[in-house]
Amino acid sequence: MSKRTLLRPLALASLVANIGLVVTGAAVRLTGSGLGCPTWPRCTDASYTTTAEMGVHGVIEFGNRLLGLALGVIALACFVAALLERPRRRSLVLLSLAVLLGIPGQGVIGGITVLTDLNPWVVGLHFLLSMALIALAYALWKRTAEGDGPPRRLVSAPLATLARLTALVSAAVIVVGVIVTGSGPHAGDENAKRNGLDPELIAQAHADLVFLLIGLSVGLWFALRAAGAPRPAIRAAGILIVVELGQGLIGFVQYFTHLPVLLVGAHMLGACLVWVATLGVLWSLRERPATTPAPPATPTPSATSATSATETTEPVATPVA
């Protein structure tokens, strides 16, 4: 496999691993293992790894930390692969570097969550940084299949604006969902505090935003079809609607069944999938063709005529009287 083709699967692995980190982080919280390693960066005051005395909670929390290290290795491999590309593409180097620098940042915030006894606002920031890293990893993966030319919009300006509004509401749904989680019962430890907000009130605001998001997504799908948008854009909008409906169903069932652990974990995975599907819609509305060398300049017609007259002038025979 050439260096050129190596970056793309590495970028996809980075995207999948970042989503996996969210899922394992959910497992940490939902099993009450948030303080399975009660300190940071060590797991205990005397050991960087979990010990037998810490039981299953220590294993779960330490496993999540190990996945963070694996994520850093993948991000470093992406950065090296981007540097080794020939020709080297500045955009890929910068994107891979951003993902790489986000990993230690994520680790530091994770450490702060432990040192603050799982403060719900810090835990929420930890999750939102994962969403940002997912967006960066997705952009890196998509850019590996694109050219170096300037981006070109494939739909009209109003449709592009509607898509951006849909993405903004999608982000708002995720943010408010984080606040809902911080007000609920799954704190990651039985002694961890919650944010003190009314869970029912925040959950209602979250549901209202979900309805708005689904309405915008359906409207975008119909608008793309009516405008004759490219098929990939219509398909991406359709996938977003399907993912949103599945995520909404899980959300309502978990709410009315009093937040069972498995459904809450599935809902957090669904949040990542909704975010990725949202990004897919935005990327489907533009393209970035490969740059091509400028064609050689052609001489003007006047210059061509003058040159031809000069080159083809021959002596004219003089008639004999």
Side-chain angles (χ1 to χ4, degrees):
M1 183 176 289
S2 67
K3 299 183 183 70
R4 179 75 179 184
T5 58
L6 179 62
L7 180 56
R8 184 165 177 78
L10 283 174
L12 180 59
S14 178
L15 174 61
V16 172
N18 273 286
I19 295 174
L21 188 66
V22 172
V23 175
T24 59
V28 169
R29 289 176 56 79
L30 297 172
T31 58
S33 304
L35 295 177
C37 288
T39 188
W40 185 88
R42 295 173 183 263
C43 194
T44 69
D45 290 334
S47 173
Y48 281 99
T49 62
T50 185
T51 61
E53 293 78 9
M54 300 171 68
V56 66
H57 293 310
V59 172
I60 294 173
E61 165 64 10
F62 185 67
N64 181 248
R65 294 188 183 188
L66 284 180
L67 180 58
L69 291 176
L71 193 59
V73 172
I74 296 173
L76 178 60
C78 287
F79 179 62
V80 172
L83 288 176
L84 294 177
E85 271 205 338
R86 293 297 180 268
R88 182 181 298 168
R89 301 170 64 187
R90 183 171 179 268
S91 60
L92 298 184
V93 173
L94 292 178
L95 279 171
S96 60
L97 179 61
V99 175
L100 177 60
L101 294 179
I103 304 303
Q106 182 77 310
V108 169
I109 295 178
I112 294 174
T113 65
V114 173
L115 298 177
T116 58
D117 295 325
L118 306 181
N119 181 290
W121 298 107
V122 181
V123 172
L125 179 61
H126 193 49
F127 178 81
L128 293 178
L129 180 56
S130 286
M131 294 295 103
L133 286 175
I134 287 172
L136 289 171
Y138 184 86
L140 176 62
W141 176 58
K142 294 294 287 185
R143 288 288 284 117
T144 58
E146 293 183 330
D148 297 321
R152 183 173 62 194
R153 196 173 60 215
L154 300 176
V155 297
S156 64
L159 280 177
T161 300
L162 178 59
R164 286 192 290 267
L165 178 60
T166 303
L168 180 63
V169 174
S170 180
V173 167
I174 292 173
V175 172
V176 177
V178 168
I179 299 175
V180 173
T181 302
S183 67
H186 297 297
D189 185 80
E190 61 182 10
N191 297 317
K193 296 180 180 180
R194 313 312 293 134
N195 59 27
L197 300 175
D198 184 353
E200 291 190 7
L201 182 62
I202 301 301
Q204 183 60 57
H206 181 63
D208 292 341
L209 282 172
V210 170
F211 283 125
L212 176 59
L213 175 60
I214 293 175
L216 287 171
S217 301
V218 172
L220 178 61
W221 183 77
F222 276 111
L224 289 171
R225 286 179 58 90
R231 291 183 63 85
I234 299 173
R235 183 170 59 250
I239 291 173
L240 175 59
I241 294 170
V242 172
V243 175
E244 288 170 350
L245 291 175
Q247 173 74 335
L249 178 62
I250 294 173
F252 277 106
V253 172
Q254 73 165 6
Y255 180 79
F256 289 109
T257 55
H258 306 292
L259 305 177
V261 168
L262 288 179
L263 282 182
V264 174
H267 198 56
M268 294 189 71
L269 172 61
C272 297
L273 298 181
V274 169
W275 185 229
V276 170
T278 302
L279 297 172
V281 170
L282 292 178
W283 281 83
S284 71
L285 302 181
R286 31 82 71 202
E287 66 177 0
R288 192 185 292 266
T291 54
T292 55
T298 57
T300 61
S302 58
T304 304
S305 301
T307 302
S308 299
T310 302
E311 292 178 350
T312 58
T313 300
E314 296 179 356
V316 181
T318 304
V320 179

